[in-house]
Amino acid sequence: MAHQRAAAMLAVLGVIASIFAAGTALWPVSAGVCYGVHGDRLPSAAEVVQLYKSKGILNMRIYQPDVQTLLALKGSKINVLMGVADEDVPRLAASTSAAADWVKVNIQPYLPGVLFQYIAVGNEITGAATQNIAPAIKNLNAVLSATGLDDIQVSTAVRMDVLSSSSPPSSSTFKDGNIKDVLAVLNSTYATGITAPLLVNVYPYFAYTGDTKNIDLNFALFQPSSTVIRDNGLNYTNLFDAMVDDLYAALSRENLVVPVVVSESGWPSYGGVGASVTNAQTYNQNLINHIRNGTPKRPYWLETYVFAMFNENQKTGAETGAETEKHFGLFNPDKSPVYPIKFRMIHVCKGCGFQ
Ligand SMILES: *[C@@H]1O[C@H](CO)[C@@H](O)[C@H](O)[C@H]1NC(C)=O
Ligand SMILES: *[C@@H]1O[C@H](CO)[C@@H](O)[C@H](O)[C@H]1NC(C)=O
């Protein structure tokens, strides 16, 4: 992970170095998959890492540090997006020494060997607690920088409801001050050579179930549909692109160069409106195939994590109370596929930055 240093060199050595650095920054990636653990009889962490590797899944999101998982990831060449548990965020916001302890316990013992790519300070934190996110990111950035680990990008994972309005995409705006503080911190990392992305959980499924009258199922599934959203010369033929570009439009409205990483997206195979094995397979396979071309506003590789690796029978569906919450998995706990799915590896120019 030498791109940071390479970027510094660039400034000095100019164009020739630029070509060299771009060449060395090619980085194998695939769609990632979220490894949630709220299920009975899930395989051991070592088996899970093996399953990722055997399916060609090169990127993993975990929601908080876990010793067994991190040990299993050592040497796996899997890129890791690791969460800070929501309940730890106030502590990390309050002091750099708490942030330093967190890094010492959860990052440093696994280096080298674990490819930490991002730290997500909380997942879908809402309400007053959102005020802790920006300070926690700042403290972690300070610690990582002081320990020479500033290749690890720190962000937070949010829901689409950080936007107040969003149709058509070009009309969208961010809601409140706390998310804007977070975005200002992310935007300031532009100076380091790689701008930390905003991590966003993007679910056309929930948009669809919230308005089945007006949203065509095929438009939500990336299937041919009579729906096209036309917006300032751009044409949206699927809901996912429109949702991601809602974010990009709101970011450019604020003059921010922060990229978007889709930290969750998926479709349930059972349990409610629109939930079926066929629809889940269609959505997830189309998603995996689609993201290499990005969105109309950003037509290049869009880093995306499918939710989720396993069906998780302990998920309570706190938000919706829905049975569907337990059926987002690509695999059953016994590692058998819920439906066939194919991942593909591509090489991206990491560190080429925001375009
Ligand atoms: C969008 O669709 C319109 C109408 O079909 C077409 O004229 C235009 O070129 C399309 N824009 C893009 C960027 O494809
Ligand atoms: C975001 O960062 C870019 C690049 O440094 C800068 O040009 C822009 O003014 C920043 N945006 C804000 C709102 O500070």
Side-chain angles (χ1 to χ4, degrees):
M1 301 215 292
H3 46 267
Q4 212 96 58
R5 283 179 291 280
M9 241 170 60
L10 268 184
V12 181
L13 297 178
V15 176
I16 294 167
S18 148
I19 292 162
F20 177 74
T24 56
L26 281 183
W27 183 268
V29 294
S30 70
V33 181
C34 301
Y35 171 24
V37 295
H38 299 293
D40 296 325
R41 301 184 319 275
L42 293 182
S44 71
E47 286 177 277
V48 173
V49 168
Q50 199 47 49
L51 187 57
Y52 271 69
K53 289 177 72 170
S54 73
K55 299 297 171 187
I57 307 167
L58 300 175
N59 297 60
M60 177 189 286
R61 178 179 181 190
I62 58 176
Y63 288 84
Q64 55 185 63
D66 173 73
V67 173
Q68 294 311 319
T69 304
L70 292 170
L71 289 174
L73 282 166
K74 269 200 164 185
S76 69
K77 298 197 166 70
I78 291 174
N79 305 296
V80 181
L81 188 178
M82 181 161 78
V84 173
D86 292 1
E87 60 268 26
D88 291 338
V89 175
R91 203 160 45 82
L92 302 198
S95 86
T96 38
S97 75
D101 285 346
W102 192 92
V103 170
K104 202 180 223 168
V105 171
N106 299 307
I107 301 275
Q108 281 164 324
Y110 308 100
L111 298 176
V114 177
L115 304 180
F116 293 106
Q117 191 177 2
Y118 304 112
I119 296 171
V121 172
N123 182 48
E124 300 188 350
I125 292 178
T126 54
T130 55
Q131 73 194 15
N132 297 317
I133 299 172
I137 294 175
K138 275 192 204 162
N139 284 342
L140 283 168
N141 279 340
V143 170
L144 291 169
S145 171
T147 43
L149 299 175
D150 42 7
D151 282 347
I152 303 174
Q153 296 169 271
V154 187
S155 185
T156 187
V158 299
R159 298 198 308 215
M160 285 297 291
D161 65 4
V162 292
L163 298 176
S164 52
S165 69
S166 61
S167 196
S170 63
S171 72
S172 65
T173 52
F174 287 102
K175 244 182 215 165
D176 71 25
N178 289 340
I179 183 68
K180 288 186 186 172
D181 290 349
V182 169
L183 291 167
V185 177
L186 301 181
N187 198 65
S188 71
T189 62
Y190 178 86
T192 68
I194 306 180
T195 315
L198 181 65
L199 309 172
V200 190
N201 300 341
V202 178
Y203 284 98
Y205 174 74
F206 292 116
Y208 167 72
T209 57
D211 191 5
T212 53
K213 247 204 196 122
N214 293 308
I215 297 177
D216 177 25
L217 178 61
N218 286 322
F219 187 66
L221 291 173
F222 300 94
Q223 297 287 79
S225 158
S226 55
T227 306
V228 179
I229 297 176
R230 298 187 194 281
D231 186 18
N232 287 338
L234 300 178
N235 302 322
Y236 292 89
T237 56
N238 66 78
L239 185 51
F240 176 84
D241 279 353
M243 292 173 81
V244 174
D245 277 0
D246 288 343
L247 294 154
Y248 273 118
L251 287 162
S252 31
R253 183 183 298 275
E254 304 284 337
N255 190 26
L256 298 163
V257 295
V258 174
V260 170
V261 165
V262 176
S263 44
E264 287 182 11
S265 191
W267 197 284
S269 59
Y270 177 81
V273 179
S276 71
V277 167
T278 308
N279 287 349
Q281 178 180 22
T282 300
Y283 180 83
N284 283 325
Q285 189 65 62
N286 284 343
L287 176 70
I288 288 165
N289 298 344
H290 177 77
I291 54 178
R292 71 183 301 148
N293 299 321
T295 66
K297 272 186 184 296
R298 305 285 169 211
Y300 44 84
W301 170 250
L302 172 62
E303 190 169 346
T304 298
Y305 293 77
V306 177
F307 186 89
M309 194 63 175
F310 297 106
N311 279 335
E312 296 171 73
N313 67 344
Q314 294 167 6
K315 287 211 77 167
T316 54
E319 198 181 313
T320 59
E323 177 69 18
T324 50
E325 296 277 331
K326 302 176 183 177
H327 302 280
F328 274 83
L330 302 176
F331 294 90
N332 296 300
D334 68 1
K335 299 192 279 184
S336 63
V338 177
Y339 40 83
I341 204 93
K342 239 182 135 48
F343 284 81
R344 40 156 88 185
M345 179 178 79
I346 72 162
H347 287 87
V348 296
C349 179
K350 196 177 147 68
C352 292
F354 188 82
Q355 296 167 50

